[in-house]
Amino acid sequence: MPRSLRSLAIDACADPDVIDVQALRLPPGMPDDPTWWMAEIFSFGSAPGPVRALMALRQTLAPIVGASNTRSSREVFAVESADDREVLAYEHDRHLDFWLGVAADDGLLQLTTVVKLHGWRGRVYWAPVGALHGPITRSMMRRTIQRTAARQVLGS
């Protein structure tokens, strides 16, 4: 498998229901630390307004389908493991297991999401989340790359 397509997230789940891989080119001179990228992409304060509104809605609706609503901490995803190019976060809940891999190498920023749904709650929860996941993920990645590039210009 080409280096830019492998993922700890894909390797972590033997029988996934969802695999989503988003990759964007990084401009020259961008950081290559995947832990840094995970923190930047998923920091609540740096998310676009609509994403913050959706997360607030998630916090309100999560208990209805039996999902936890504990994502109010500053660190949205804690790194569980890492290799030379990627960090992996894992979340378990009654309704799904969720792996998130963030890699930054070979001039690409890659975000891999793997989901294993549990029963009807997982399917109900993932229906709206899955429809929005790809576009929101790409938007957050683009926004983070643009903010990082702007900081580099201002810092130089």
Side-chain angles (χ1 to χ4, degrees):
M1 181 177 288
R3 184 172 168 85
S4 61
L5 295 179
R6 69 182 173 114
S7 174
L8 296 172
I10 294 171
D11 294 344
C13 182
D15 187 26
D17 293 304
V18 176
I19 297 176
D20 179 69
V21 180
Q22 303 292 326
L24 295 174
R25 289 234 173 261
L26 288 172
M30 289 282 176
D32 61 0
D33 177 3
T35 303
W36 184 88
W37 282 105
M38 182 179 285
E40 287 294 310
I41 292 168
F42 293 103
S43 67
F44 187 77
S46 67
V51 172
R52 289 193 302 266
L54 288 171
M55 288 305 291
L57 180 63
R58 182 216 182 273
Q59 293 293 92
T60 302
L61 298 178
I64 294 170
V65 297
S68 68
N69 61 354
T70 59
R71 291 211 173 106
S72 59
S73 70
R74 191 174 162 181
E75 183 178 357
V76 177
F77 298 111
V79 173
E80 178 177 286
S81 65
D83 68 11
D84 63 327
R85 68 176 285 276
E86 182 179 24
V87 293
L88 177 69
Y90 170 73
E91 297 281 330
H92 169 77
D93 212 327
R94 265 180 28 187
H95 65 300
L96 59 78
D97 289 330
F98 171 85
W99 293 265
L100 171 68
V102 175
D105 78 335
D106 294 337
L108 289 177
L109 176 62
Q110 177 181 305
L111 196 148
T112 304
T113 307
V114 176
V115 180
K116 178 67 178 166
L117 303 171
H118 301 302
W120 70 269
R121 284 185 174 100
R123 290 187 300 280
V124 167
Y125 175 82
W126 190 255
V129 171
L132 298 172
H133 179 76
I136 288 174
T137 300
R138 281 189 305 279
S139 172
M140 291 174 71
M141 291 169 70
R142 278 190 196 103
R143 183 178 167 102
T144 303
I145 291 168
Q146 289 168 348
R147 278 193 339 268
T148 302
R151 282 192 299 234
Q152 286 181 335
V153 168
L154 292 174
S156 54

